[in-house]
Amino acid sequence: MAAVAEQWRQAQAQAAAEAQQRREAAARQEAERQLFNRAVGPVVPLRPPNKLHLKHPAPEPLPLQLWQDEERVLQESISDDFDVSTLLDTDDQLSFRRPGIGVEITRRLRAGHWSIQRQLDLHGLRTDEAREALGAFIRQAHRSGLRCLRVIHGKGLGSPGKSPVLKGRVQAWLVQKKEVLAFVQARPVEGGAGALLVLLIPAGHPHTAYSSHP
């Protein structure tokens, strides 16, 4: 019995010692916390920011294609005030060829050396309509790789004074088109004085370099 009592007393003493250690550890932690609070001072919580987050709308896309189209129109614009008379050959049909192009080109064009690949009839169009139609016709034909075209402007029989007003304008417009290498009046079987045969620069060639090859 004495041995049992001794073991019980030892267990009680150990438990009391462990409890004392826990109280001392807690006291040290509390002392450290109090020391930190005294060092830092009063703490005021931050206010939540009074901000409203808005989603900024995406910027409108730039109309690059529209700008390119407008720039191309300005570059390819043709004037009604252009004086073509000084640029035409002084033959009976007032043909045209770019500087540096030999007269044999207009002779071959008049003789039917190049087959007519497409034609544009300007009958019944107002001046502004005819100008726009001709510009688009030349541009698209050149992009398609065509070389020889026929432009029908009429003989002016239905115009006041029976004068071919559109003929002179068409000549002036064609001279201003960089795709045009030369033109001549059509042969009688192809429209005669009411039409022009137009030879274009080969597709893919720089506009400053002209070629006499078909």
Side-chain angles (χ1 to χ4, degrees):
M1 292 292 294
V4 173
E6 181 63 22
Q7 291 178 356
W8 183 82
R9 283 194 297 272
Q10 291 179 355
Q12 289 292 325
Q14 184 176 357
E18 291 175 353
Q20 180 63 29
Q21 291 176 356
R22 289 194 294 271
R23 288 192 295 271
E24 292 176 353
R28 287 194 301 270
Q29 290 179 355
E30 177 63 19
E32 292 173 356
R33 188 179 68 81
Q34 293 294 336
L35 178 63
F36 175 81
N37 290 340
R38 288 194 298 272
V40 172
V43 176
V44 178
L46 293 176
R47 284 178 150 188
N50 187 19
K51 294 182 179 180
L52 179 62
H53 297 282
L54 298 176
K55 292 184 178 180
H56 297 286
E60 293 292 333
L62 297 177
L64 297 181
Q65 187 61 50
L66 175 60
W67 292 347
Q68 292 173 358
D69 291 343
E70 291 176 346
E71 182 178 2
R72 185 178 66 249
V73 169
L74 289 176
Q75 291 176 347
E76 297 180 352
S77 62
I78 44 185
S79 171
D80 289 337
D81 299 326
F82 187 82
D83 184 8
V84 70
S85 60
T86 59
L87 300 176
L88 300 179
D89 287 344
T90 55
D91 53 24
D92 57 346
Q93 297 174 344
L94 296 179
S95 57
F96 167 78
R97 52 193 169 89
R98 293 285 177 190
I101 300 301
V103 69
E104 71 276 3
I105 292 299
T106 50
R107 290 174 180 169
R108 292 165 69 188
L109 181 59
R110 186 178 292 115
H113 180 81
W114 289 274
S115 299
I116 298 173
Q117 297 170 292
R118 193 168 297 174
Q119 73 174 21
L120 172 68
D121 191 344
L122 300 176
H123 275 113
L125 298 182
R126 298 193 305 269
T127 300
D128 56 343
E129 294 174 337
R131 181 177 58 248
E132 294 177 6
L134 180 64
F137 175 66
I138 295 297
R139 183 170 61 251
Q140 293 299 327
H142 182 258
R143 287 180 178 175
S144 301
L146 305 183
R147 292 298 313 277
C148 187
L149 312 172
R150 176 168 55 185
V151 177
I152 303 172
H153 49 68
K155 299 179 180 180
L157 299 179
S159 303
K162 306 296 182 181
S163 60
V165 177
L166 195 56
K167 178 178 181 178
R169 291 186 181 276
V170 169
Q171 290 175 337
W173 296 337
L174 288 174
V175 168
Q176 296 175 72
K177 294 300 294 179
K178 58 188 178 182
E179 298 92 345
V180 174
L181 186 66
F183 63 76
V184 299
Q185 181 175 295
R187 294 179 295 176
V189 296
E190 296 167 340
L196 294 173
L197 299 183
V198 182
L199 183 65
L200 301 183
I201 297 169
H205 284 218
H207 293 308
T208 54
Y210 303 112
S211 171
S212 61
H213 298 291

